[in-house]
Amino acid sequence: MATFKYTTLNNIAQDGIDRLGENFVRTDDVSEAQGILVRSAKMHNMEISDQLLAVGRAGAGVNNIPVEKMAEKGIVVFNSPGANSNAVKELVIAVLILASRNIVDGINWVQANENNPDIAADVEKEKKKFAGTEIKGKKLGVIGLGAIGAKVSKAAVSLGMDVYGYDPFVDAKKAKDINKKMTFISSIDDIYENCDYITIHVPAMESTKDYINEESIQKMKEGVVVLNMARDVLIDEEAMLVALDEGKVRYYVSDFPNPTVTGHKNCITIPHLGASTEEAEKNCAIMACDELREYLEYGNIKNSVNYPNIDAGVCASECRLIVLHKNIPGMIKKLAHVVEDEGINVAEMTNRSKGNYAVTVLDLDSQISGQNEENLSKIDGVFKIRKVK
Ligand code: MLT
């Protein structure tokens, strides 16, 4: 089996790296890496080398990676969905309580009184300023019912909350499987109009930018608390500041400090700690490294954000080719034509597509010539050809 060079753009937990195995060699030179492991490092302005075959994101969000550009170069981008969902869920529950009990203001008061010799007595006089409300019996709206949203909805129900769930990609039946004690909502306005707390768990994409905006905030209840442990771009934060100033929104809790919101008295910001637990870092690293290894060694794809999942198993034939190509008609015929032209029998062929992109795995009864491999790569619409065996 070939050896692969990989590099890391962030610290990746050793438990993951250990799973890459002996066929993987670390390099510090990103231009020679066939695999990149990344957490939050921004890759949009990075030069993408021709050597690069795959990127493994140890985490869920891929807004730091030029996913489309990678697809056009035949580079498969993986993420680790669900691997840090428990960590994020726990933080959501923590901030929910933090905001409902005015804990941050309370802690700030104590810190400001560190040299006050009468602090013990003053606490009893001052604490009424920080009295809050309980979350039990309150309505929580969960926008996005993926791995994190689903877990948040269950945890909130177990704390006695009345949970409303919304996700345009989930139907009533699926919503029941996710959490039968959640009220599934098919119009997001029901969340805005009814909920005391709203938490958002959708991916950051062009289509989800400003998902919560001035118009949606207008529909919300007076004194609502909005939690954002997903990404700052999902919220029109200028509109959020106006709503905070007017008291329409009681607290905006965000895991993404930025110059717009940081410092506002009713905005609680956390330094992107959603997935920062030992367990989540380990789980994400393991998932990303397993995905990278499976693809580089066998060509199988699981949890890619730009190519379809494909599982052709282990190659039992002489040769395996992985073709990453445009999802257009006639492609399979063209690929087969080049292979058969050389008198090679196709033992097994697997093809999958996702949106504009497709993968074809060809298991062949004999080795293909270098010339024909090149001919395959010249077919219009083929982004990359890999021979994994
Ligand atoms: C995620 O997208 O998985 C979380 O925000 C944590 C992270 O960025 O690593």
Side-chain angles (χ1 to χ4, degrees):
M1 170 125 6
T3 55
F4 301 99
K5 291 193 174 146
Y6 77 94
T7 197
T8 56
L9 302 184
N10 298 100
N11 187 34
I12 302 291
Q14 192 58 36
D15 302 78
I17 300 291
D18 288 347
R19 292 168 79 102
L20 290 174
E22 61 197 19
N23 296 325
F24 283 73
V25 181
R26 197 194 147 83
T27 175
D28 288 329
D29 180 357
V30 69
S31 70
E32 61 170 20
Q34 285 137 329
I36 289 181
L37 289 157
V38 62
R39 287 183 61 193
S40 52
K42 301 217 177 333
M43 297 182 71
H44 286 279
N45 296 326
M46 250 178 78
E47 192 140 332
I48 301 171
S49 105
D50 288 340
Q51 301 301 314
L52 188 60
L53 302 175
V55 175
R57 157 81 164 105
V62 287
N63 56 322
N64 55 323
I65 305 170
V67 170
E68 199 72 14
K69 191 163 136 197
M70 296 275 183
E72 298 281 332
K73 288 180 172 276
I75 298 164
V76 183
V77 180
F78 298 92
N79 71 345
S80 19
N84 57 25
S85 54
N86 189 64
V88 182
K89 171 203 81 181
E90 288 186 4
L91 194 68
V92 171
I93 298 302
V95 297
L96 192 62
I97 297 173
L98 213 67
S100 65
R101 301 294 294 272
N102 294 318
I103 292 171
V104 175
D105 289 344
I107 292 172
N108 288 343
W109 182 87
V110 172
Q111 277 179 352
N113 279 271
E114 66 176 330
N115 298 320
N116 174 1
D118 299 323
I119 186 166
D122 287 353
V123 159
E124 297 309 320
K125 283 186 272 162
E126 297 292 324
K127 70 179 186 186
K128 58 178 174 297
K129 286 202 275 197
F130 310 114
T133 52
E134 296 180 23
I135 57 170
K136 188 170 174 220
K138 302 292 185 307
K139 287 191 171 64
L140 170 70
V142 181
I143 301 174
L145 297 170
I148 297 170
K151 282 196 170 81
V152 167
S153 82
K154 284 191 189 133
V157 164
S158 72
L159 289 167
M161 297 193 85
D162 183 7
V163 179
Y164 284 33
Y166 171 81
D167 190 322
F169 302 104
V170 166
D171 62 14
K173 187 176 168 300
K174 179 119 190 284
K176 263 216 156 46
D177 296 340
I178 291 172
N179 181 357
K180 23 181 199 315
K181 294 187 177 157
M182 170 183 79
T183 306
F184 177 63
I185 300 298
S186 53
S187 159
I188 195 163
D189 285 355
D190 287 339
I191 291 215
Y192 295 145
E193 286 160 15
N194 292 295
C195 291
D196 307 294
Y197 298 83
I198 296 174
T199 183
I200 185 161
H201 301 285
V202 302
M205 299 183 298
E206 213 29 59
S207 58
T208 56
K209 193 171 176 287
D210 292 342
Y211 196 102
I212 292 184
N213 49 41
E214 191 185 343
E215 202 188 326
S216 32
I217 293 171
Q218 283 308 320
K219 293 177 188 158
M220 292 179 189
K221 279 175 84 169
E222 285 294 313
V224 63
V225 171
V226 179
L227 313 175
N228 178 13
M229 300 294 113
R231 286 292 181 271
D232 56 359
V233 294
L234 300 172
I235 315 281
D236 176 348
E237 291 187 328
E238 294 291 348
M240 182 57 74
L241 289 187
V242 173
L244 286 170
D245 288 340
E246 290 171 348
K248 170 91 183 175
V249 176
R250 185 150 56 103
Y251 280 117
Y252 171 56
V253 189
S254 165
D255 204 13
F256 307 94
N258 61 36
T260 309
V261 294
T262 308
H264 191 285
K265 73 176 180 33
N266 289 340
C267 177
I268 301 172
T269 39
I270 302 160
H272 198 189
L273 292 181
S276 293
T277 66
E278 249 174 60
E279 295 85 348
E281 285 174 12
K282 181 174 149 182
N283 292 342
C284 287
I286 288 175
M287 198 185 273
C289 289
D290 284 354
E291 291 160 354
L292 196 73
R293 179 176 180 173
E294 185 63 25
Y295 176 62
L296 292 187
E297 290 187 344
Y298 299 107
N300 294 320
I301 298 178
K302 190 174 174 197
N303 294 331
S304 169
V305 292
N306 59 357
Y307 275 95
N309 284 346
I310 194 161
D311 185 0
V314 173
C315 178
S317 310
E318 265 307 295
C319 173
R320 171 172 284 180
L321 295 178
I322 314 296
V323 188
L324 299 129
H325 56 88
K326 258 192 196 148
N327 183 21
I328 46 174
M331 187 56 87
I332 293 172
K333 206 163 137 197
K334 285 184 197 160
L335 296 172
H337 183 74
V338 174
V339 172
E340 281 158 10
D341 223 29
E342 205 180 335
I344 297 177
N345 185 49
V346 177
E348 196 91 56
M349 190 190 74
T350 320
N351 170 272
R352 294 275 178 282
S353 64
K354 172 167 159 170
N356 295 330
Y357 305 102
V359 185
T360 302
V361 178
L362 294 162
D363 285 353
L364 309 177
D365 277 343
S366 45
Q367 285 294 334
I368 191 167
S369 66
Q371 178 58 53
N372 260 350
E373 212 183 310
E374 201 183 319
N375 291 344
L376 284 171
S377 70
K378 284 190 184 144
I379 294 173
D380 202 26
V382 168
F383 300 122
K384 201 181 270 301
I385 299 272
R386 295 186 52 213
K387 186 149 82 73
V388 295
K389 186 178 174 192

